[in-house]
Amino acid sequence: MKMAPMGLFGYPAMALCVIVVLAFVPSQAHGSLGVKNLNDGFCATFITPHGYKCEEHEVTTKDGYILSLQRIPQGRTNVGNGGAKRAPVIVQHGVMVGGMSWVLSPPSESLPMILANSGFDVWISNARGTVYSQKHISLNSADPAYWDWTWDEMVANDVPALFDYVYTKTHQKIHYVGHSLGTLVALVSFSERDPVVMERIKSAALLSPIAYLNHMTTQLVNVAARTFIGEMTAVSGRPEFDPNGITVLNNVKSLCITHQINCDDMLTAIAGENCCMNSSVVERFLDHIQPTATKNLIHLSQSVRFGTISKFNYELPELNLKNYGSLFPPRYDLTNIPVDLPIFMSYGGTDALSDVVDVQKLLDTMSNHDADKLSVQYINNYAHADFVMGYNAKEIVYDHVIAFFNKYQ
């Protein structure tokens, strides 16, 4: 059965989105963070049952986080590259989900498998804090200090660590695919011109890009961001934002009642009306919601409230002075993105998170980009989750991504 509603992968106080979904679906649909066979590993759970080879890897960042990375080195039949060395691709998910979000659909509809079948060497990243990436060289995920980070640290530490590791293993420049928050950390990394990343990247495909966030059309996320849902959780002393936690659920229910928001049908209201999703995939997705740092969600909500792309704002001038040497956090300047970096960008007309107005502002920021190096696709009926789990995403989006990558081999 085809199902339109759904789509929430990330983003500004996005936890909200997910939390509300969790609050209004049967609790038995969710296990311990939705991963019932964690000891089996990512590959054994999501990849090898479909007949693909899969390797488990770990990457250690400069600040000690140990990230889980899965490699699909070839397609199911090992064809599609004509015997040539396979170009590596890093695939990065958004917030409140993990790398498994890319492979919840059947293999014929899942981007990593499609890339592998098309001759690429695929590396699936799992962001810090998600269930497969909760290791650290000295901290335990039960320690509050473990959760003291935002996407600033992902830009500064995680993205370069991933690129360096994959480059060391493959000795080739790397293509990159990001969705939602995975696009934000990439765009900022490019604007910062991190040498490790810029020396190793070949091209990037950004799906449902988020950078500017102040035109979102979802009522709940806007209310949540502007009423500081993250701060509410932080004040309660919970540095980990657990979507199954009773504190979070109570906060969200309170928002729905106070602001008279209909929280009985949130799948469409949160992220836009997804046109092209199967109900079985939606059910699997709801079983794999992931935690993140409360501080990370506060940072994202600041983008909604202030309309800027900046480092984390400590709100107290003395803390900003201590961390940045200024009263306000430094802004990231996306006009610094190298104009000759090949970038493919795809966004949807019904996406309530990656809103058309905000995407256009991003494109305006990149107006000086080399015309032959920037390819933009607009899909009128696509919303946020369609880009990751749409049953027709291969024909609508992924084939174009592969063609773009092949152009820059």
Side-chain angles (χ1 to χ4, degrees):
M1 180 180 79
K2 305 301 183 185
M3 178 177 177
M6 174 65 205
L8 41 138
F9 279 104
Y11 323 161
M14 265 331 327
L16 265 311
C17 314
V18 178
I19 286 104
V20 173
V21 173
L22 292 176
F24 293 96
V25 294
S27 59
Q28 62 266 29
H30 313 288
S32 176
L33 288 180
V35 180
K36 298 179 176 61
N37 46 3
L38 180 60
N39 292 333
D40 292 341
F42 187 109
C43 285
T45 302
F46 298 104
I47 308 299
T48 55
H50 298 295
Y52 291 81
K53 292 183 178 180
C54 186
E55 302 169 4
E56 297 279 1
H57 293 258
E58 289 186 336
V59 183
T60 302
T61 68
K62 288 186 298 183
D63 55 348
Y65 288 80
I66 301 172
L67 310 179
S68 170
L69 189 63
Q70 286 72 41
R71 182 186 194 182
I72 307 177
Q74 63 187 51
R76 185 153 47 188
T77 58
N78 197 23
V79 298
N81 65 338
K85 199 171 184 180
R86 290 172 170 261
V89 182
I90 293 174
V91 182
Q92 180 65 59
H93 61 83
V95 75
M96 301 301 292
V97 294
M100 73 281 289
S101 63
W102 295 103
V103 292
L104 296 178
S105 298
S108 61
E109 300 172 7
S110 298
L111 178 60
M113 280 81 152
I114 292 169
L115 286 167
N117 289 339
S118 299
F120 293 93
D121 179 3
V122 182
W123 298 76
I124 304 172
S125 170
N126 294 271
R128 60 173 67 193
T130 58
V131 71
Y132 287 104
S133 290
Q134 290 194 351
K135 294 182 182 180
H136 191 278
I137 60 173
S138 62
L139 298 172
N140 185 286
S141 61
D143 299 329
Y146 174 89
W147 300 98
D148 185 18
W149 53 266
T150 82
W151 56 265
D152 281 336
E153 283 71 33
M154 296 176 67
V155 170
N157 302 313
D158 299 9
V159 177
L162 291 169
F163 271 85
D164 187 55
Y165 185 87
V166 173
Y167 184 83
T168 299
K169 292 294 184 181
T170 64
H171 305 290
Q172 295 187 80
K173 287 195 171 184
I174 302 157
H175 299 291
Y176 176 93
V177 180
H179 176 253
S180 198
L181 185 65
T183 70
L184 176 60
V185 296
L187 287 165
V188 173
S189 180
F190 302 157
S191 72
E192 294 287 277
R193 302 200 178 198
D194 184 291
V196 173
V197 176
M198 301 318 298
E199 291 169 8
R200 291 161 176 76
I201 190 167
K202 185 177 292 185
S203 70
L206 308 179
L207 312 181
S208 289
I210 65 165
Y212 303 99
L213 294 171
N214 52 328
H215 287 91
M216 294 184 305
T217 56
T218 163
Q219 183 185 6
L220 179 62
V221 177
N222 272 299
V223 168
R226 299 178 196 284
T227 53
F228 312 158
I229 184 71
E231 285 90 331
M232 291 161 60
T233 306
V235 169
S236 71
R238 300 178 184 273
E240 174 189 358
F241 198 96
D242 179 4
N244 289 313
I246 189 65
T247 299
V248 171
L249 295 176
N250 287 339
N251 285 344
V252 174
K253 289 179 180 179
S254 177
L255 282 179
C256 294
I257 295 170
T258 301
H259 295 274
Q260 297 182 333
I261 300 172
N262 179 10
C263 290
D264 294 326
D265 180 18
M266 296 308 305
L267 296 180
T268 296
I270 290 166
E273 187 170 354
N274 295 280
C275 68
C276 308
M277 297 182 61
N278 286 316
S279 58
S280 60
V281 175
V282 173
E283 291 171 3
R284 295 194 68 194
F285 166 75
L286 291 175
D287 204 32
H288 291 87
I289 302 298
Q290 298 294 301
T292 189
T294 298
K295 186 177 178 181
N296 187 36
L297 295 178
I298 295 172
H299 192 184
L300 288 166
S301 71
Q302 289 172 353
S303 297
V304 179
R305 302 200 305 260
F306 305 143
T308 61
I309 307 172
S310 304
K311 289 182 179 290
F312 181 78
N313 190 336
Y314 288 89
E315 305 285 347
L316 297 176
E318 58 268 27
L319 290 181
N320 283 333
L321 278 170
K322 178 182 177 181
N323 285 276
Y324 308 122
S326 59
L327 294 175
F328 299 98
R331 292 191 180 189
Y332 292 111
D333 185 359
L334 298 191
T335 63
N336 284 335
I337 295 173
V339 297
D340 59 348
L341 175 63
I343 295 177
F344 172 87
M345 198 176 297
S346 183
Y347 66 108
T350 62
D351 194 331
L353 298 174
S354 177
D355 185 78
V356 171
V357 175
D358 287 330
V359 174
Q360 188 56 57
K361 183 176 181 179
L362 170 62
L363 292 172
D364 290 343
T365 302
M366 301 175 63
S367 60
N368 291 327
H369 210 86
D370 290 352
D372 62 337
K373 296 294 178 67
L374 179 61
S375 177
V376 179
Q377 179 190 40
Y378 171 74
I379 308 171
N380 185 60
N381 64 336
Y382 255 41
H384 213 64
D386 289 315
F387 288 92
V388 176
M389 299 186 294
Y391 55 76
N392 60 356
K394 178 185 184 300
E395 295 77 19
I396 301 297
V397 183
Y398 303 160
D399 286 349
H400 293 277
V401 170
I402 290 169
F404 186 81
F405 286 168
N406 285 333
K407 182 179 177 181
Y408 294 100
Q409 292 288 61

